[in-house]
Amino acid sequence: MAAESELSRVVAEWRLRDVRDVWVSTVWDLDFTETEPLDPRIEEEITEDGLGAFSSLYQALTPFATGDDKSRGTFVEMTNFEPVEREFEFSATMSITHAKYIPELAYHGLWLLCSPLHGTENEILRCVFQRILSVILMVPGGTGSRHAVLAITSAVISARNQAVKFISSVVEELKEVAFPVLRILLQHICTKVPDKADYRTYAAQALVNLLNKLPCMEYADFIAWLYKYSLHTKISYRVFALDVALALLDVPERNLESSILLDHQKFLKHKFLVQVMVFGRCSDRAPVVRSKALSSFAHCLEMKAAATLDSIQDLLQSKYYQ
């Protein structure tokens, strides 16, 4: 009864009932970056009162958390509420009394929502990852436009980095439960990324960081999908596939495992990235893709990794003897 009374007091004080219902996408394929921003009055009061006010609200809501879309949306809104000047870890053992920033509390709330306490893990993960996508892509969550982007500032980059780190931690914790949902998130990074050079670069880096959380079999399956994506009729897709290929070449090759199907083993090799994903686009029918592919191949020539250099040498020798 005491907890319920405290919750009622805090809810009344913050006028949370005045917040309009957030449009909820129950289908993953819809444009789930379209969400309504936090009510301006609530945002203003949190700004004035600071961490202490949000902490009291957080503590009052925690025992009653249901994992509904409104709570997920509020937590995600708060992940980039203010700049965070230090790194913080994500775990169920985190104590909110040690939190110094509102985003820390927000991510702790999201972490709890991703736990098995709030229904089907897969369903909750889908909803949470949906919400965080806009933070990773550095686009506003409530504009309703796929062409709108946030200015690339240190605060926006910090929020993006924390979002990637959070998802990585969740995947490491839940493992097999999270792998299928992570794959879907990676696919939607590819299809939702803004068609602007800097945003593509940041998105490709985030994609590769998250992709490395997958085991070899799932990793190879995604590269197979990425290859099909690179052949799409949309020019922006083919351009972004080149950004991803370059980002993948910056990380070491995966070691082959016996569980990998023979026809999927090539997807673990830098040779496939260099010769097929990059060089194969140098004859693309679209000038912008050809230009991007040629500059990407030139970048490959400057790389020092032995696997990349061997792939280029093998390619040039095969062309010479044809």
Side-chain angles (χ1 to χ4, degrees):
M1 293 298 294
E4 292 180 359
S5 299
E6 177 65 12
L7 176 63
S8 299
R9 183 190 67 78
V10 175
V11 169
E13 178 181 339
W14 283 86
R15 299 198 300 274
L16 291 181
R17 299 186 188 278
D18 294 340
V19 180
R20 291 180 294 167
D21 290 338
V22 180
W23 179 80
V24 181
S25 170
T26 57
V27 181
W28 180 262
D29 289 331
L30 295 181
D31 188 1
F32 46 71
T33 60
E34 297 183 6
T35 59
E36 294 187 14
L38 194 67
D39 188 285
R41 293 172 299 169
I42 297 177
E43 183 174 355
E44 181 180 353
E45 292 185 22
I46 293 177
T47 302
E48 291 177 355
D49 295 342
L51 182 63
F54 186 72
S55 297
S56 64
L57 173 64
Y58 177 88
Q59 290 174 316
L61 286 174
T62 298
F64 300 89
T66 60
D68 61 16
D69 192 74
K70 185 176 293 186
S71 62
R72 290 188 292 266
T74 300
F75 281 135
V76 172
E77 285 285 343
M78 290 301 174
T79 59
N80 56 1
F81 186 81
E82 62 181 348
V84 177
E85 298 178 357
R86 68 183 181 92
E87 292 288 327
F88 54 87
E89 300 298 324
F90 305 101
S91 70
T93 59
M94 170 189 171
S95 173
I96 63 172
T97 59
H98 297 154
K100 295 184 178 180
Y101 299 94
I102 289 176
E104 287 186 80
L105 291 173
Y107 271 119
H108 185 57
L110 288 173
W111 181 276
L112 294 177
L113 289 177
C114 291
S115 71
L117 300 176
H118 299 290
T120 305
E121 290 175 313
N122 190 284
E123 176 185 347
I124 296 297
L125 284 177
R126 283 173 178 260
C127 295
V128 171
F129 285 13
Q130 284 176 6
R131 292 288 189 171
I132 294 180
L133 177 65
S134 61
V135 182
I136 294 175
L137 296 180
M138 300 187 295
V139 298
T143 62
S145 172
R146 295 187 181 186
H147 302 289
V149 294
L150 298 174
I152 299 179
T153 63
S154 59
V156 170
I157 293 174
S158 175
R160 170 254 188 199
N161 293 342
Q162 292 293 350
V164 172
K165 185 177 179 181
F166 170 76
I167 292 178
S168 297
S169 299
V170 170
V171 173
E172 290 173 357
E173 178 73 16
L174 299 180
K175 295 182 171 57
E176 287 79 5
V177 173
F179 293 155
V181 187
L182 176 59
R183 175 191 168 96
I184 295 173
L185 175 66
L186 297 178
Q187 290 174 329
H188 280 77
I189 289 176
C190 292
T191 58
K192 306 289 186 182
V193 59
D195 190 19
K196 299 177 183 291
D198 290 342
Y199 294 84
R200 290 198 308 265
T201 299
Y202 278 110
Q205 292 170 351
L207 186 147
V208 170
N209 287 338
L210 295 173
L211 179 59
N212 281 329
K213 300 301 176 182
L214 292 177
C216 276
M217 184 177 298
E218 287 79 2
Y219 180 98
D221 285 341
F222 182 81
I223 299 298
W225 177 88
L226 183 68
Y227 173 60
K228 295 178 182 178
Y229 165 89
S230 73
L231 303 177
H232 198 277
T233 55
K234 282 191 176 182
I235 292 176
S236 60
Y237 285 11
R238 304 203 297 274
V239 171
F240 183 63
L242 288 165
D243 286 303
V244 175
L246 285 183
L248 286 168
L249 288 171
D250 282 333
V251 299
E253 279 188 346
R254 289 284 185 105
N255 294 323
L256 290 177
E257 296 181 357
S258 58
S259 59
I260 305 298
L261 297 175
L262 186 61
D263 61 343
H264 270 46
Q265 291 181 4
K266 63 183 179 182
F267 297 125
L268 300 179
K269 296 296 185 180
H270 281 185
K271 180 178 180 179
F272 178 80
L273 298 173
V274 173
Q275 298 186 3
V276 179
M277 296 285 292
V278 176
F279 187 77
R281 290 293 95 205
C282 290
S283 57
D284 194 280
R285 62 183 178 275
V288 65
V289 180
R290 288 201 305 272
S291 175
K292 175 70 175 180
L294 288 169
S295 63
S296 299
F297 188 69
H299 182 72
C300 292
L301 294 173
E302 299 174 355
M303 291 183 172
K304 305 300 183 182
T308 302
L309 295 177
D310 290 344
S311 300
I312 295 174
Q313 183 178 5
D314 180 63
L315 174 65
L316 296 178
Q317 288 177 344
S318 64
K319 292 294 181 181
Y320 177 79
Y321 288 110
Q322 282 183 354

